[in-house]
Amino acid sequence: MNASKKIHKSDFLVIGSGIAGLSFALKTAQNFKDATITIITKNEKNECNTKYAQGGISTVWDKTVDSFEQHIEDTLLAGDGICDEKIVKMVVEEAPERLQELIDWGTKFDKTTNGNYSLGREGGHSQDRILHHKDITGAEIERALIEKVEKAENITFLTYHYAIDLITEHQVKKQQTKRQEKITCYGAYVLDEKKSIVKTFSAKVTMLATGGNGQVYSTTTNPVIATGDGIAMAYRAKAEISDMEFIQFHPTALFNPGEYPAFLISEAVRGEGAILRDYYGERFMKKYDDREELASRDIVARAIDNELKKSGTPHVYLDCTHLDYKAFKKHFPNITEKCMSLGIDVRKDYIPVSPAQHYICGGVNINKKGKTSLKNLYASGEVTRSGLHGANRLASNSLLEGLVFSNNAYENLKKRFHKIKEPINVPVWNDSGVVKNMEKILITHDRNEVKTIMSNYVGIVRSNERLLRAERRLRVLYEDNKRLYDHSELSTDLCELRNLITTAYLITQFSKNRKENRGGFYSADLV
Ligand SMILES: Cc1cc2nc3c(=O)[nH]c(=O)nc-3n(C[C@H](O)[C@H](O)[C@H](O)COP(=O)(O)OP(=O)(O)OC[C@H]3O[C@@H](n4cnc5c(N)ncnc54)[C@H](O)[C@@H]3O)c2cc1C
């Protein structure tokens, strides 16, 4: 792999173009008029988890029927006792202002016939408080943000640019760094996929907004870009990471073997009154929680998992046949069309569903200002552990999290940006070393193996024995990958595999260390 000798300098380097990265870039560009902002993203501009979000964004919009206290309480209840209460309060109270900003930037949310915003409800919410755009809210947000970003003269937006690693003292001063030390981030090494060269991007401030890592599991609603790159890069750079054991499995992904990623049947469908039935048509949620279908995700996903294990059947059903079809189709055109395309007519057929990995609650530690433990490295969105979600994220709180922490990072930088010095002595990527041709199929095999290990042993229900098995197998994959990485030509596939193995290993290690069942973590040995 060739390395470019040029250093690409900017004031702000934003890695990722989902809601977290774009909203940060936009805010920064509008308010630091003389600053240069570079966004790099590894695929098309809008390819990210955000684009696939269906349900919407939660906020207390109508205070005559809802209150901050209720939204806070719902979030804390879903988080199962380990949310950071101050962070929850801050996010919930800031939400209306951030949503208004998103609207001002051009995002269109659905309205009722009387002109007010139409507020949906999802599992775990005690009130209707989800702003949405049909059932394609994320795609609408991406459309609006990208349009706005493209008009900003001080933003350079680079697609198919893949961040390999963050640059710290480790490269700049060629010294080993330790996790507890004061470490500074100076930018990132980036693979320009079209030109096949590694570029060096130096920046005063780096914003990590790379999203989640659903691709470590065989069945996930996350698109292929969700390979945990940001978490793994930050871990290698010795940033603090936590809560990796809390994986959220969405209870109702469409059961359609062979379709990757799994198509989501939004929680909002249950919010509208859809009913879960077992393979034989019987309702079962009453056995698990008084809130039945509207219990939080961890509870519903575990209930379905239990039903599937007991019956040995591959899926349960979501029954929408009693709902008003016209209203259903208006709110969920995408879901209705998808079901129709598979011959499922929601007016008379039940929708086959099963749980799929959906979200990671843990990640890179940030404080309320979006700061990580590394100096000048900020992070926002699904890549982070902010304290908002605790052990289980409340539905529709994650788009909101990205908006709030990107804004807070910007607010913090307003105060300190002028003091940050331009990085010096940043070395260009070192491309020396033995490079052998490698069979690409080895990467595909290893990637599939990670998914199988994680789905078999680190899924909805874990145990000590399963975690040990996962750990042993992941170690072998780690060693194999290290050999490939050190001696093969660098490619996005290979780097992603390295990051998938790292984040799978972190989920397993954090799971081994957890000694009580909470939210998205459940071990059969701790019951
Ligand atoms: C099907 C689905 C439905 C959902 N529905 C909802 C919902 O209704 N409400 C809600 O609140 N949440 C929902 N979520 C969760 C929510 O969409 C995500 O948590 C949120 O969009 C994350 O935003 P983000 O900006 O942090 O990351 P993403 O939107 O995932 O963006 C990450 C970006 O980083 C880029 N990137 C990653 N690695 C690299 C690298 N190494 N180099 C360069 N670029 C890189 C990616 O290409 C992408 O542009 C849903 C998720 C899914 C999958």
Side-chain angles (χ1 to χ4, degrees):
M1 177 67 50
N2 292 324
S4 158
K5 300 289 172 230
K6 181 175 167 193
I7 307 263
H8 300 258
K9 290 182 185 174
S10 31
D11 294 312
F12 298 90
L13 175 65
V14 181
I15 310 178
S17 57
I19 193 168
L22 293 178
S23 62
F24 175 78
L26 202 50
K27 202 82 205 238
T28 311
Q30 286 175 341
N31 296 287
F32 292 97
K33 296 258 186 256
D34 298 328
T36 50
I37 297 125
T38 303
I39 306 174
I40 58 157
T41 194
K42 68 175 170 176
N43 202 285
E44 294 294 331
K45 284 182 179 170
N46 71 347
E47 187 54 22
C48 54
N49 274 9
T50 301
K51 176 179 148 187
Y52 296 91
Q54 294 182 345
I57 311 192
S58 55
T59 182
V60 175
W61 200 255
D62 182 354
K63 284 207 183 131
T64 58
V65 287
D66 198 2
S67 66
F68 287 147
E69 289 71 28
Q70 278 170 285
H71 189 182
I72 291 169
E73 201 180 313
D74 293 343
T75 304
L76 294 175
L77 193 63
D80 207 4
I82 59 163
C83 296
D84 181 331
E85 289 198 33
K86 281 197 197 118
I87 292 290
V88 174
K89 187 169 181 301
M90 181 271 290
V91 172
V92 165
E93 291 181 357
E94 227 190 272
E97 208 181 319
R98 298 282 72 77
L99 264 291
Q100 187 55 55
E101 195 163 54
L102 201 56
I103 292 166
D104 295 343
W105 284 334
T107 310
K108 293 189 173 59
F109 293 113
D110 290 351
K111 291 188 172 170
T112 59
T113 42
N114 62 15
N116 294 327
Y117 281 110
S118 153
L119 300 173
R121 186 178 301 203
E122 300 196 6
H125 287 273
S126 56
Q127 291 295 341
D128 297 350
R129 62 167 76 100
I130 319 289
L131 284 171
H132 55 89
H133 178 94
K134 302 189 175 67
D135 53 356
I136 48 166
T137 308
E140 167 61 11
I141 293 171
E142 282 290 301
R143 179 204 61 75
L145 290 179
I146 289 173
E147 259 180 50
K148 202 85 189 153
V149 159
E150 280 173 342
K151 288 190 187 125
E153 284 176 3
N154 49 349
I155 297 182
T156 307
F157 199 163
L158 302 171
T159 55
Y160 294 96
H161 275 62
Y162 177 90
I164 304 166
D165 262 318
L166 297 170
I167 303 172
T168 65
E169 277 77 6
H170 182 72
Q171 292 91 357
V172 172
K173 297 187 181 154
K174 299 205 171 22
Q175 69 190 33
Q176 284 297 331
T177 46
K178 293 205 184 86
R179 212 159 286 282
Q180 312 303 343
E181 272 172 9
K182 275 235 158 314
I183 302 171
T184 304
C185 178
Y186 302 102
Y189 292 117
V190 177
L191 173 61
D192 178 338
E193 297 185 59
K194 296 265 156 91
K195 293 193 177 142
S196 283
I197 49 171
V198 179
K199 297 175 175 172
T200 304
F201 282 78
S202 82
K204 291 183 184 170
V205 172
T206 303
M207 164 55 85
L208 197 58
T210 47
N213 72 336
Q215 288 295 322
V216 292
Y217 287 94
S218 304
T219 311
T220 176
T221 60
N222 289 191
V224 289
I225 56 98
T227 50
D229 299 338
I231 300 174
M233 278 191 282
Y235 179 71
R236 283 193 293 275
K238 310 282 188 328
E240 284 169 19
I241 311 282
S242 52
D243 289 357
M244 290 291 289
E245 67 275 38
F246 298 121
I247 303 295
Q248 185 168 79
F249 290 84
H250 197 290
T252 56
L254 180 67
F255 178 77
N256 184 26
E259 180 171 3
Y260 306 110
F263 183 83
L264 187 68
I265 307 293
S266 166
E267 193 121 34
V269 174
R270 273 177 290 129
E272 292 290 317
I275 288 166
L276 282 165
R277 297 186 183 278
D278 68 16
Y279 200 70
Y280 306 101
E282 295 300 319
R283 290 188 73 166
F284 57 86
M285 275 312 298
K286 215 177 194 56
K287 289 186 279 181
Y288 298 94
D289 197 281
D290 287 344
R291 290 168 294 172
E292 301 186 37
E293 275 76 8
L294 290 182
S296 56
R297 281 185 182 165
D298 55 328
I299 295 171
V300 183
R302 226 163 23 245
I304 297 176
D305 186 64
N306 194 40
E307 291 294 316
L308 296 181
K309 285 192 173 126
K310 267 191 335 193
S311 62
T313 53
H315 59 78
V316 295
Y317 288 107
L318 196 60
D319 172 7
C320 309
T321 55
H322 55 291
L323 302 179
D324 175 45
Y325 179 66
K326 224 170 134 195
F328 185 91
K329 201 174 164 200
K330 185 159 182 259
H331 190 162
F332 306 112
N334 193 32
I335 293 174
T336 311
E337 198 180 303
K338 175 75 186 180
C339 288
M340 270 304 182
S341 75
L342 297 171
I344 304 161
D345 182 344
V346 296
R347 282 172 294 196
K348 50 188 176 61
D349 302 322
Y350 298 162
I351 307 172
V353 291
S354 61
Q357 191 284 352
H358 187 55
Y359 186 82
I360 180 157
C361 297
V364 184
N365 280 7
I366 52 168
N367 65 12
K368 71 173 182 192
K369 299 166 188 162
K371 286 169 114 175
T372 70
S373 58
L374 265 50
K375 203 169 163 199
N376 301 338
L377 178 69
Y378 289 72
S380 174
E382 192 167 340
V383 68
T384 67
R385 182 270 180 203
S386 68
L388 173 67
H389 308 307
N392 179 45
R393 169 183 74 113
L394 180 66
S396 287
N397 265 357
S398 50
L399 292 168
L400 177 62
E401 180 187 43
L403 277 181
V404 169
F405 283 93
S406 289
N407 179 69
N408 288 6
Y410 153 75
E411 289 291 342
N412 177 255
L413 283 159
K414 265 201 317 201
K415 291 181 207 133
R416 61 177 293 267
F417 177 67
H418 65 280
K419 292 189 227 151
I420 305 176
K421 295 204 176 72
E422 194 172 303
I424 46 168
N425 299 330
V426 173
V428 294
W429 175 260
N430 179 358
D431 59 351
S432 60
V434 190
V435 173
K436 287 188 204 147
N437 283 333
M438 150 203 48
E439 288 178 294
K440 292 269 183 199
I441 194 69
L442 294 177
I443 299 180
T444 312
H445 287 162
D446 285 358
R447 198 169 170 133
N448 288 339
E449 217 171 316
V450 176
K451 287 169 178 282
T452 307
I453 293 168
M454 293 303 283
S455 297
N456 285 349
Y457 304 128
V458 200
I460 297 178
V461 177
R462 302 169 202 170
S463 71
N464 295 339
E465 180 56 31
R466 286 179 194 199
L467 292 174
L468 278 175
R469 279 179 178 225
E471 187 186 30
R472 277 199 299 269
R473 284 157 173 74
L474 287 169
R475 253 196 221 132
V476 174
L477 281 176
Y478 173 81
E479 292 302 331
D480 288 348
N481 177 259
K482 192 170 175 335
R483 254 199 320 278
L484 278 184
Y485 188 84
D486 289 345
H487 300 296
S488 310
E489 185 167 7
L490 216 58
S491 67
T492 301
D493 287 357
L494 183 58
C495 294
E496 284 184 344
L497 174 62
R498 178 165 82 134
N499 295 333
L500 285 168
I501 294 170
T502 302
T503 52
Y505 195 75
L506 286 171
I507 295 169
T508 310
Q509 286 305 311
F510 275 82
S511 297
K512 274 180 68 189
N513 292 337
R514 176 139 298 269
K515 298 298 174 222
E516 56 178 4
N517 287 334
R518 266 185 199 277
F521 173 82
Y522 188 88
S523 166
D525 289 324
L526 295 173
V527 181

